[in-house]
Amino acid sequence: MEGIGDRLNGAWVRAWLNDPKAMRATARMPSMLHGMDQAAGDAIAAFLMLQGDGEAFEPSAGDPLEGSESFLRLHCIACHTEPGFGPDPEGQKISLDHVAAKFQPGALKAFLMRPQAHYTWIRMPDFQLEPAEAEALASYLRAATEGVLEFGSAPEEALASTGSTLYSEMGCAACHNAERP
């Protein structure tokens, strides 16, 4: 969870918490908020959005056409559905349709350059991308997928405090580490 608030969009985190399998059919995370109201997801998302050091990523300004060529050359289609084509009907490939909504502007480029930086268990290979290639690929993925989900204003301290309590009570730390405010 280190730096999650710097990398991910709060609305996407909230949607993920509410129903991980709706976001990705192959998600291993269970639906932890089943039977709870929307406020619980909002609170935990607010808490998670405070997990970061305020690192700002420069928005990607690469050429989407070059990025689509990299997508093909790197054989991303082996593990992902093509952006804009929705989930894999057989559930074998990861959809990229939520990429623009998931990542903060610029954070996708950083992820593509070092996929294992925050997810040591991730199956995505490190393609050793040059910054310009990662920027072009990020620009292509953002342009080809759904827009950013709005989280609203910055997380309120009281809401984040409630989220911190819920995070602990629900046992989230059994699988994830996060600093308590």
Side-chain angles (χ1 to χ4, degrees):
M1 293 293 168
E2 181 182 331
I4 192 170
D6 296 333
R7 296 187 321 273
L8 302 183
N9 180 300
W12 183 89
V13 170
R14 182 179 56 215
W16 175 264
L17 291 170
N18 284 323
D19 192 356
K21 299 239 187 267
M23 302 296 284
R24 184 176 351 146
T26 59
R28 289 186 257 168
M29 182 170 161
S31 179
M32 300 294 292
L33 302 178
H34 183 71
M36 298 178 84
D37 64 14
Q38 179 68 36
D42 291 349
I44 295 172
F47 165 64
L48 293 175
M49 290 302 92
L50 295 178
Q51 304 303 306
D53 58 10
E55 179 180 0
F57 296 97
E58 288 294 320
S60 296
D63 181 356
L65 181 58
E66 287 179 27
S68 71
E69 292 168 0
S70 291
F71 185 86
L72 295 172
R73 185 180 51 74
L74 295 169
H75 303 287
C76 300
I77 198 76
C79 299
H80 297 283
T81 59
E82 192 171 346
F85 283 82
D88 176 15
E90 297 176 17
Q92 301 300 310
K93 296 181 179 184
I94 297 170
S95 172
L96 295 172
D97 281 350
H98 296 287
V99 167
K102 179 178 181 178
F103 287 94
Q104 296 278 358
L108 179 56
K109 173 188 169 189
F111 169 77
L112 291 169
M113 291 187 67
R114 295 187 47 226
Q116 288 81 14
H118 296 284
Y119 312 105
T120 56
W121 48 263
I122 197 166
R123 292 184 287 171
M124 176 144 167
D126 184 346
F127 290 108
Q128 304 292 311
L129 299 175
E130 293 294 324
E133 186 175 20
E135 192 166 284
L137 185 54
S139 292
Y140 164 67
L141 293 172
R142 289 186 64 82
T145 61
E146 296 175 13
V148 174
L149 300 169
E150 294 299 325
F151 185 65
S153 59
E156 297 175 28
E157 200 65 36
L159 186 61
S161 179
T162 300
S164 174
T165 300
L166 287 169
Y167 185 92
S168 294
E169 290 175 354
M170 294 174 68
C172 299
C175 299
H176 306 283
N177 293 324
E179 298 292 321
R180 294 185 62 117

